[in-house]
Amino acid sequence: MKFRPCIDIHNGKVKQIVGGSLKDAGNQAQENFVSEQDAAFYAALYRNAGIKGGHVILLNGIDSAYYDATREQALLALKTYPGGLQIGGGISPENAAAYLDAGASHVIVTSYVFRNGQLSWENLEKIERAAGRERLVLDLSCRKKDGQYYIVTDRWQKFTRVPVTLETMSRLGSHCDEFLVHAVDVEGKAKGIETELVSLLSEYTERPVTYAGGVGSKKDIELLRKYGKGRLDVTVGSALDLFGGPIPFEELRRLY
């Protein structure tokens, strides 16, 4: 288990939000924390701590009035820590190379690959060619419906008909370097992890998997280690002291 830090950017600001509250209309989100520091501050912190594989996530759509400010912050983070951060949010074959050239180690993709509720193999092949398999992360962020976890897209607002299963991950694994999975229903709430989802993800061993969502205490991290069989990396957002939470960054840095 490794600690993967994050830099979530919304309306041009580094924030922690409740994932399920995000709406394109009015650029709205329920905020847990809005930083007075810019993205470069956090990128430098992670760089100086020697922690690689963190995620920079653009939470505004390309049509948003805030998109340019959000993208500017993301590029600032990549410039500050070249090779140390991954980037996601609106990634496509048209911009993947530019983000990699700007310093991203990987690009993170969901909505481009899962189109109109389905998995588009054509689009997956296009983004794989543009970024290279070894620099592509597939985001399988999901929400539960009718007792099953389904991948959600468009900043977690739209359900697809693609379930998160071992079969799905096995089929996709040959096209990417790793997976990122946000448990959207608990994302940003810091009230406990989705143990059912974690148990499912732990059974997949072909590629690295990072879990995010619901971590609110060190006890939750230990539960993640238990149910994830030590195989999953973890992202901690709202519960991290850097973002106003109770878990010390320095402890995670030392432990993971």
Side-chain angles (χ1 to χ4, degrees), residues 1 20 24-25 29 36 72 86 186 190 227:
M1 175 186 273
D24 285 343
E36 296 180 359
E72 182 179 344
Q86 304 173 358
V186 296
Y227 284 93

Side-chain angles (χ1 to χ4, degrees), residues 193-211:
I193 64 171
E194 288 268 18
T195 55
E196 181 183 348
L197 177 61
V198 169
S199 295
L200 169 63
L201 297 175
S202 75
E203 296 302 313
Y204 176 81
T205 58
E206 298 170 34
R207 300 286 180 202
V209 179
T210 298
Y211 169 88

